[in-house]
Amino acid sequence: MKVLAIESSCDDTSIAIVNDDKTVEFLETINHRKFHKDLGGVIPEMAARQHLEILDILGKSIKKINFSKISAIAATFGPGLIGGLIVGSSFAKGLSISKNVELIPINHLQAHLLSPRLVSEIKFPYLCLLVSGGNTALVLVKNSKSFITLGSTIDDSAGECFDKVAKGLGLGYPGGPEIEHLALGGNIEKFKLPMPLAKKNNCDFSFSGLKTAALNTIKNNKKTKLFLRDFSASFQHTVSKVLEIKILNCIKLLQKENIKINDFSICGGVAANKYLNTELQKLISTKKLNYHQVPLSLCTDNAAMIGWNAIEYMKTRKIKLNNYNVRPSPNILIHEHF
Ligand code: KG4
């Protein structure tokens, strides 16, 4: 099986060709970051126009593809920004009809959650922490079609918290990588920040109180080099601690319910954070679980994970395929299918 995949849900336009033996034959991702950088976030209308232009450019690579070898065309149909979803899904539909190749609409969140299996021998069921710009959730991945959310954020996502705090520090968008860079060598204990919901014995997250406290601390201090370094380190450490506490609650819950897992993985943009990976790896090893880190190219939005998700579906063949009436859905939930 060989799948041509398209991703266009936010501010990355990406095309990939993925094989069922897990080889990624082609992956090109063009980020629109420079257009949104000074505006502090993604402007949906601008993002949609960028997807249109970039797909035109990436379309040149598509012309060289031998379609007789392509088993299916997969595209993100949601969740995400509706403009980008319309552009990518329409592009895929048109290609599917003109080349007479099956179309597979993909739920972007499920693709993130299945992405560790593209690079690791990770068996179902496993626990996965999804930490991106739009989501923070702990999900039991039972198989390629069954996802049980054990906890999720009740307000902001971890990525959003990184981005807003970075904006307060006068950094660019996206804020996560900039904070991670500033935090190198900083004192993680210097600033005591709140850990909302940490004492609640559940798997839900809250980041809005941490965000507000962090922004207040920024307002009350001079942005010296030392402050930026120590504050970034303390903030990053606090986010990591909150995630750790909730992962532990989740592992306890699974044990209580007699659900046996051997593997843990992390996916989404924030999963690119090296400090977070180091801390979580330590934690997971104390629980005798295998830790699976996904490479940077698979953490942030990319079409390889969309192609891989389609291959996982095709292996089971139990879902309805090739339905040209399927519409993009900006708010589709983690467990829902097209
Ligand atoms: O998964 P993603 O590319 O987009 C979606 O939300 O779908 O995630 C983007 C988020 C942004 O909030 C960005 O600040 C965060 O991932 N991020 C990071 C790092 N790299 C990206 N956060 C912390 N540390 C990083 N190194």
Side-chain angles (χ1 to χ4, degrees), residues 30-41:
I30 299 184
N31 190 277
H32 322 168
R33 208 165 284 166
K34 64 174 184 240
F35 295 98
H36 307 288
K37 205 172 171 79
D38 300 331
L39 301 160

Side-chain angles (χ1 to χ4, degrees), residues 78-79 105-111 309 332-338:
I106 297 290
N107 177 329
H108 175 87
L109 300 176
Q110 294 180 3
N309 192 153
I332 191 165
L333 301 175
I334 287 179
H335 64 277
E336 290 176 330
H337 297 284
F338 284 103

